[in-house]
Amino acid sequence: MARRQGYDGVVVTAPVSVPYERYSIETAHWWIARALRASLQAAGLKPLEIDGFTVSSFTLSPDTAVGLTQHLGLCPRWLDHIPMGGASGVVALRRAARAVQAGDADIVACVAGDTNHIDSFRTLLSGFSRFASDASYPYGFGGPNVNFALLTDRYMQEFNATREDFGRICVAQRDNALRYPNAMMKKPLTLEDYLNARAIADPIALFDCVMPCAGSEAFLVMREDEAIKRDLPFARIKGTIERHNAHASDPIQLRGGWTLDVDDLYDMAGCAPTDMDLVQTYDDYPVISMMQIEDLGFCEKGGAPEFLRSRDMTVTGDFPHNTNGGQLSAGQAGAAGGFIGLVEAIRQVTGTAAGTQVKDARRALVSGFGMINYDRGVCSSAAILEGTA
Amino acid sequence: MSDPLQPPLKKNPQKRTVSPTRPPEGRSRAALGLTAAAAEGRFALQCCAECGAVQYPPRDACSTCLSTELPWRDVSPKGTLIADTFIRATTSLYFRDRLPWRTGTVQLDLGPSVICHVHGDCEKGARVVLLNRLDRAGQGVLIATPEKRTPNMQDDPQLRAMSSDPNYRRVLITDARTPNAPALAKALRTAGAAHVFVGEGETWRPYPERAALESLGVEFLPLDVTDTSSVNRMAAEYGSKVDILINNARFLRPGGVLARGDTGFARDEIEVNYLGLMRLAQAFGPAMCARTGDGVNSAVAWVNILAATSLSNSPEMGCFSASQSAARALSQSLRGEFRSAGLRVMNTYVGPTEDDWHQPLPPPKVTANALARDVIKGLTDGLEDVYCGDVAKDMADKYRRDPKVLERELTMGGEA
Ligand SMILES: [Zn+2]
């Protein structure tokens, strides 16, 4: 008997990305409503016809998923609020899938969205976590840039990675973003631009950082027969994993929780890293993408710089990666940053990705990473999706 | 080595004074344990009372065994700098005025990794010693320093920002007639103070310390802390030139309540020791608070010299100590009032001193030189509470352990 039960008969569909804006005077509620509405419209559903709802957002305060049911006129029998930042998308997917599988809900809408007011990045930063207020913000108040500068510095010392190695990821993603109309970044990026960019926190420079913006993303989870009845293109969920606070005694983060669960992931899915047609990593900084590529088995620990040097990460390349530009080029819309890769992967394996479509894409690996509670990302997650073509 | 500090340029009146800003102040209650240790210059972390695991960041429960008994203990501050960065962009106004700011990750020999400030002389991968210092928000922060002292180490801008170093600063000692005034002035000179002002009341009346002070090249200012207009006049003229104020003004007579027949001396004690402090704070406080961001010779510290018996009283000096307790309570209010500007209030608690009024008390007693040395060290280390002399240290330990037990010990009276 397999260690974990599969997700047979449960599918994911109706992917929606509401175009991001750099700054917005609207609220998180507004952005979440837009994504939910578009996803329901795609499936021909009315708000009261869904019976499961999960939301992820940083700027919804003082409301939670509870407040949203009344605000948006929903009446779910299954409700969840997932505060896991970059890991939220996959976590929402796997919880919703189990709910549908068990009959606790028939149709679950999974939504993430955040607004970005002129000063909201700063205020968000100041109230992020207790450990951050106590033990990281007083040390220069550089936010996540500082944490990732330190991780990147350590990674470079440990594995002889160079700025060029990180730059190659950013350049390829910008190339992909130029095919994605919703991307915030519209201009090409060269390796030279990357290397000459303004330093933010050495060795992190401008193009290693995401641009905070407002936006929202959504998808629906339902039974396969429901999707067929509604004539919706859908993807099957072949395997998922989730882990928190792994390797707590590592002095600095060079690996994430994926290492503990990656064998389960591929066992469940019955496939291997080489079977993936595209990979969507959580990319708030390129070093984290490298960490995921290693921990999810594409190469050994520390081998990502070498592995990527001989690969083409663009939509038309031999290792399509973050095909809509990822957060680095499409923008980081708060908690929606934990959904962007998953929503794009659903489009990819259902053949609906339009300009960013990877040819014959059938299998996608999506990885999530979230929440720098103090000095490292605490949450990790991953999922393998498969199209029906 | 650090670049030696350069004397401040003459102030350009056209240029705006850098506004007082401060680093992030918010902390959990547990994290204030670090601040409490930093106030006394100790490096302490929470250690689980049950399994011994050292915790960082501060917690409410042990991350190894879930025990909620997590006392703070002095532990080894040694570790290795495993990563570092220079922050060049921040949304904090305080750090923005001081970029680039060096921050790093230190793996402590005891286990935990800490994100900390990094002294400019630390090399990546090198052994370091963490100091626990109060930052300009008055909160305890950790800074990695080289394992061995380096030339001009104290002049590193990040370390200096966490100290109240008298080097290149102008200091006002409020009372020339207190016997410790010459020792304080001399120690400040040695520590590099750019200028020492000394307040002098009743200028017509001679006193023994005058000659010693003259030989130290101090500047005498007519100042009587019991006279509001005198204090205000001096503050109006010199308030913007005082970077460190040391209030050593003191009126002292021995005796408890019943030993005195009236409230006469008590009024004098309150006038000088309590209301004097209040007058000084009202007159000099605002000008000093406005200049806490003002470069090399920014205003940094307000020093009160208090009797250790201000912590817990006894009849030998009962009425005097009550005025000292009042001053101590006032200093706590001042800490709150000066905090938003980043001006530090350093209380120096002194045991019995070598002077006429303490003659009946047994040794050990604090000499003026020892007091001056501890004040300078406290300023250099940016402390908030300094216990000077064995009696004061002993009393502080007992006060921390159990204030009621200390009170009873101090009020036992003689043999019946
Ligand atoms: Zn324990």
Side-chain angles (χ1 to χ4, degrees):
Chain A
M1 199 179 118
R3 187 173 157 201
R4 293 187 190 179
Q5 200 182 339
Y7 298 96
D8 299 341
V10 183
V11 301
V12 54
T13 182
V16 163
S17 302
V18 178
Y20 295 177
E21 288 171 16
R22 176 74 174 103
Y23 292 109
S24 168
I25 57 167
E26 308 298 347
T27 61
H29 306 65
W30 186 93
W31 283 96
I32 288 165
R34 298 257 328 257
L36 176 62
R37 183 177 196 210
S39 195
L40 295 184
Q41 270 176 351
L45 288 161
K46 296 194 177 63
L48 284 172
E49 289 176 304
I50 57 167
D51 57 359
F53 180 62
T54 167
V55 69
S56 297
S57 177
F58 291 112
T59 54
L60 199 54
S61 174
D63 283 350
T64 66
V66 177
L68 280 180
T69 62
Q70 197 167 32
H71 197 122
L72 304 177
L74 308 176
C75 184
R77 59 186 177 120
W78 183 93
L79 182 68
D80 205 349
H81 191 120
I82 299 176
M84 296 179 198
S88 297
V90 169
V91 171
L93 171 71
R94 69 200 300 269
R95 291 187 184 178
R98 289 298 184 213
V100 170
Q101 194 173 29
D104 288 347
D106 291 319
I107 301 174
V108 180
C110 302
V111 190
D114 269 300
T115 189
N116 186 40
H117 300 156
I118 295 284
D119 201 33
S120 64
F121 188 65
R122 191 183 147 136
T123 39
L124 178 66
L125 221 56
S126 5
F128 194 75
S129 75
R130 175 171 146 177
F131 279 5
S133 304
D134 283 349
S136 79
Y137 293 152
Y139 299 93
F141 204 74
N145 290 334
V146 175
N147 297 112
F148 285 97
L150 295 171
L151 304 194
T152 305
D153 178 45
R154 189 66 204 167
Y155 188 95
M156 290 171 80
Q157 294 176 57
E158 201 77 22
F159 303 125
N160 294 317
T162 64
R163 294 260 302 131
E164 284 81 353
D165 292 326
F166 300 116
R168 224 170 274 117
I169 292 177
C170 301
V171 168
Q173 287 190 204
R174 182 60 60 86
D175 204 67
N176 293 343
L178 299 179
R179 300 162 169 268
Y180 181 60
N182 289 354
M184 298 293 294
M185 303 296 181
K186 305 284 188 196
K187 280 193 256 169
L189 177 75
T190 67
L191 193 57
E192 206 182 1
D193 296 335
Y194 171 89
L195 293 172
N196 294 332
R198 178 166 66 89
I200 301 291
D202 314 351
I204 298 282
L206 188 64
F207 296 114
D208 292 297
C209 306
V210 296
M211 181 186 275
C213 56
S216 51
E217 308 263 345
F219 56 84
L220 301 178
V221 176
M222 59 182 69
R223 284 189 312 278
E224 188 168 328
D225 56 5
E226 183 77 40
I228 291 169
K229 189 180 86 187
R230 294 178 180 277
D231 201 20
L232 294 168
F234 60 82
R236 298 197 175 99
I237 305 156
K238 303 304 289 181
T240 72
I241 54 173
E242 168 183 347
R243 181 67 71 166
H244 307 281
N245 195 34
H247 310 305
S249 60
D250 286 4
I252 193 165
Q253 187 166 42
L254 294 174
R255 56 181 176 165
W258 307 280
T259 54
L260 298 180
D261 307 294
V262 63
D263 293 343
D264 269 12
L265 177 69
Y266 291 116
D267 280 354
M268 264 182 111
C271 59
T274 45
D275 297 323
M276 298 302 136
D277 298 314
L278 63 125
V279 177
Q280 311 280 28
T281 64
Y282 188 81
D283 63 329
D284 51 355
Y285 298 82
V287 69
I288 296 305
S289 291
M290 287 196 187
M291 214 163 77
Q292 288 160 84
I293 286 166
E294 293 161 1
D295 292 353
L296 289 163
F298 291 91
C299 60
E300 60 186 7
K301 180 46 63 190
E306 178 63 35
F307 176 83
L308 295 175
R309 266 170 225 151
S310 58
R311 279 171 179 77
D312 179 348
M313 290 170 271
T314 62
V315 165
T316 54
D318 56 352
F319 189 74
H321 174 245
N322 291 351
T323 49
N324 61 350
Q327 299 181 83
L328 283 167
S329 278
Q332 178 177 61
F339 272 55
I340 184 174
L342 176 54
V343 169
E344 168 72 2
I346 301 167
R347 285 191 292 257
Q348 286 286 350
V349 299
T350 53
T352 58
T356 64
Q357 185 66 53
V358 172
K359 195 164 172 290
D360 302 328
R362 203 169 99 80
R363 266 200 212 100
L365 177 69
V366 183
S367 171
F369 174 75
M371 307 306 282
I372 308 292
N373 189 57
Y374 163 47
D375 63 337
R376 62 193 71 193
V378 169
C379 313
S380 61
S381 61
I384 293 172
L385 300 183
E386 196 176 88
T388 51
Chain B
M1 65 174 268
S2 309
D3 292 333
L5 204 61
Q6 298 302 309
L9 299 172
K10 200 162 165 45
K11 198 165 175 181
N12 176 355
Q14 304 297 325
K15 270 181 74 178
R16 106 184 150 103
T17 301
V18 176
S19 336
T21 51
R22 54 193 170 143
E25 185 183 27
R27 296 289 193 282
S28 68
R29 188 160 196 274
L32 292 179
L34 198 68
T35 297
E40 300 175 356
R42 294 184 293 112
F43 181 81
L45 294 176
Q46 288 174 306
C47 301
C48 178
E50 291 183 39
C51 78
V54 179
Q55 320 281 322
Y56 193 83
R59 289 176 163 85
D60 297 340
C62 172
S63 62
T64 302
C65 77
L66 291 181
S67 163
T68 51
E69 291 295 310
L70 296 175
W72 289 80
R73 299 202 199 288
D74 290 1
V75 293
S76 163
K78 291 188 175 182
T80 306
L81 180 64
I82 59 172
D84 75 319
T85 182
F86 285 92
I87 299 172
R88 298 175 192 279
T90 168
T91 54
S92 151
L93 299 176
Y94 174 84
F95 290 113
R96 196 180 283 178
D97 280 333
R98 292 160 178 84
L99 295 178
W101 190 270
R102 193 178 185 203
T103 294
T105 302
V106 167
Q107 184 180 14
L108 286 170
D109 295 350
L110 291 167
S113 284
V114 306
I115 293 176
C116 57
H117 303 300
V118 181
H119 188 285
D121 290 348
C122 294
E123 282 173 39
K124 202 196 293 286
R127 300 282 300 157
V128 293
V129 173
L130 285 182
L131 303 178
N132 178 21
R133 288 285 168 89
L134 295 173
D135 66 10
R136 297 301 348 148
Q139 299 291 35
V141 290
L142 304 174
I143 177 167
T145 60
E147 197 172 31
K148 296 202 173 62
R149 267 200 80 82
T150 55
N152 314 313
M153 186 166 153
Q154 69 286 353
D155 292 348
D156 175 79
Q158 291 186 209
L159 185 57
R160 186 170 165 94
M162 285 156 216
S163 84
S164 312
D165 196 331
N167 193 18
Y168 287 123
R169 288 200 163 100
R170 298 157 297 181
V171 186
L172 168 62
I173 300 169
T174 57
D175 188 4
R177 289 174 190 275
T178 306
N180 56 30
L184 282 170
K186 185 156 185 278
L188 287 163
R189 279 295 197 208
T190 311
H195 200 79
V196 179
F197 302 103
V198 182
E200 192 178 47
E202 303 178 337
T203 46
W204 45 269
R205 202 159 53 87
Y207 56 100
E209 290 79 15
R210 176 84 195 199
L213 286 168
E214 278 170 11
S215 74
L216 290 165
V218 305
E219 182 177 351
F220 293 91
L221 306 180
L223 178 68
D224 176 353
V225 302
T226 64
D227 174 355
T228 304
S229 61
S230 151
V231 174
N232 286 347
R233 209 162 41 240
M234 277 312 109
E237 202 165 334
Y238 293 94
S240 63
K241 295 180 180 136
V242 174
D243 308 321
I244 297 172
L245 185 148
I246 300 179
N247 183 22
N248 67 335
R250 188 185 74 174
F251 186 94
L252 184 161
R253 291 295 182 275
V257 177
L258 302 185
R260 291 184 181 175
D262 58 32
T263 56
F265 282 148
R267 280 176 195 278
D268 290 333
E269 282 160 352
I270 290 293
E271 271 302 330
V272 175
N273 303 343
Y274 175 70
L275 294 175
L277 170 58
M278 196 183 297
R279 286 186 194 96
L280 288 166
Q282 285 167 345
F284 285 88
M288 290 179 74
C289 284
R291 287 189 46 259
T292 52
D294 205 9
V296 166
N297 58 351
S298 57
V300 279
W302 184 288
V303 181
N304 297 311
I305 297 177
L306 300 171
T309 46
S310 63
L311 295 172
S312 189
N313 208 348
S314 69
E316 289 84 4
M317 298 275 166
C319 296
F320 165 73
S321 295
S323 73
Q324 295 288 288
S325 295
R328 174 171 179 264
L330 197 65
S331 78
Q332 292 174 313
S333 174
L334 285 177
R335 280 186 178 143
E337 296 174 64
F338 290 170
R339 171 106 64 233
S340 60
L343 184 66
R344 184 155 307 158
V345 176
M346 181 176 105
N347 285 344
T348 306
Y349 297 95
V350 194
T353 47
E354 290 279 9
D355 58 50
D356 297 346
W357 297 113
H358 288 102
Q359 249 168 21
L361 294 182
K365 291 189 194 173
V366 176
T367 64
N369 284 334
L371 168 67
R373 194 182 56 228
D374 282 3
V375 167
I376 300 299
K377 173 119 177 45
L379 288 171
T380 313
D381 293 349
L383 305 187
E384 212 168 74
D385 291 304
V386 174
Y387 300 95
C388 179
D390 292 331
V391 171
K393 286 191 176 73
D394 184 70
M395 199 177 294
D397 284 345
K398 289 174 175 169
Y399 182 78
R400 263 191 292 266
R401 191 167 302 172
D402 192 331
K404 186 68 191 176
V405 171
L406 173 62
E407 179 195 282
R408 185 54 36 91
E409 275 189 294
L410 291 174
T411 57
M412 292 275 233
E415 294 299 319

